[in-house]
Amino acid sequence: PTASFPPLTTAEPAAVQPRLPSLPATAPPYSQKPDIRSRQTQNAAVPGTPAIHPLPAEEYSGLTLIGQLFSLYLLCEKEGQFMVIDQHAAHERVLYEQVTEYAEQHHDLQELLEPVFLSLSPGESEALSAALPLLAEEGFCIDAFGPGTFLVRTVPVLFGQNIEPGEIRDIIAGIIGPGMPRGIDTREQVRRIVACRGAIKAGAFCTLDQCRELLQQLARTRNPFTCPHGRPTMIVFRKQKMDDLFKRV
């Protein structure tokens, strides 16, 4: 399917912009260089396979974009290396760092055009009730509306006011459901889910300008190598490896 969202922007926003595809989401500027101390221990390449991130993080700016593949991957090159970038994982990383930094500095929220009703089981109601104070800090204003019923009035500003009710229910289910990874606190889980739901989806066609903007945003993040869940955002093939595959050397 073809997504009809406008070009991503690189202008520095005063606040987090609503999520794609309604409006562009732009990563905030960072005063410090990306933290690359963990890149040697995270996602270490298996011998004989492409590397995850052979270049220092700050060198991922200025990539030459080749194009988009399968409406899912961005193909790039730089300095004798061929890179395949997962557009969803890359945008998820951008939004995660944006949400994290914004939540620590601001407390804005987006009022919904129409409140969303949640009908929950007794166990789910108990879990949601316990999480209400933290959810409020992240931008979710949720009121008890009767036994097993809650009313969602606001969401994080990243989503905008036109978010689908089904998406809100999925987000809440992910936060209070039994599938939350062990060792991940609720605040972290909320931010990961917000970033995942707001990111460009697999199968969304992007123009070349949109692809370039996403690459620029990814280059500004502290950790451009993985999404918040730990999946790699990019795989890199060295030219020498490509030459070996085609028996040119």
Side-chain angles (χ1 to χ4, degrees), residues 159-199:
F159 287 113
Q161 60 185 188
N162 294 317
I163 182 174
E164 295 293 331
E167 290 189 75
I168 295 178
R169 296 186 180 97
D170 288 345
I171 292 169
I172 299 300
I175 294 170
I176 66 175
M180 181 182 294
R182 294 183 178 180
I184 303 298
D185 62 31
T186 305
R187 177 177 286 104
E188 176 69 9
Q189 182 72 350
V190 169
R191 293 174 182 175
R192 290 185 181 186
I193 291 175
V194 168
C196 184
R197 296 293 179 178

Side-chain angles (χ1 to χ4, degrees), residues 6 15-16 44 51 54 77 91 97 102 110-111 119 127 140-141 151 166 187 190 202 207 211 224 227 236 241-242:
V16 176
E77 65 172 315
H91 196 214
E97 294 197 7
Y102 189 83
Q110 175 64 60
E111 186 173 357
S119 295
F140 292 93
C141 178
L151 202 61
R187 177 177 286 104
V190 169
T207 66
C211 292
C227 78
V236 182
K241 180 62 177 178
M242 301 289 288

Side-chain angles (χ1 to χ4, degrees), residues 232-247:
T233 58
M234 62 187 75
I235 300 295
V236 182
F237 298 82
R238 294 184 182 276
K239 180 180 181 297
Q240 182 177 358
K241 180 62 177 178
M242 301 289 288
D243 290 341
D244 289 342
L245 293 173
F246 283 97
K247 302 185 184 301

Side-chain angles (χ1 to χ4, degrees), residues 18-86:
R19 68 181 186 92
L20 295 171
S22 55
L23 285 175
T26 303
Y30 296 111
S31 58
Q32 63 186 61
K33 290 185 177 181
D35 183 1
I36 59 174
R37 289 172 296 176
S38 61
R39 69 185 179 91
Q40 295 180 345
T41 57
Q42 293 182 349
N43 299 302
V46 177
T49 63
I52 300 298
H53 41 72
L55 291 176
E58 58 267 26
E59 294 185 22
Y60 278 95
S61 60
L63 298 179
T64 299
L65 175 69
I66 300 172
Q68 185 187 37
L69 179 66
F70 305 137
S71 296
L72 175 58
Y73 300 108
L74 308 186
L75 308 182
C76 310
E77 65 172 315
K78 183 176 183 180
E79 299 177 0
Q81 300 190 86
F82 171 63
M83 305 177 187
V84 183
I85 298 176
D86 184 318

Side-chain angles (χ1 to χ4, degrees), residues 33-35 71 75 132 135 146 150 165 183 203 206 212-213 221 245:
K33 290 185 177 181
D35 183 1
S71 296
L75 308 182
L132 286 180
L135 289 171
F150 295 82
C206 298
R212 292 188 185 97
E213 293 293 347
T221 62
L245 293 173

Side-chain angles (χ1 to χ4, degrees), residues 131-148:
L132 286 180
L134 186 147
L135 289 171
E137 294 179 8
E138 298 297 320
F140 292 93
C141 178
I142 304 175
D143 297 329
F145 199 67

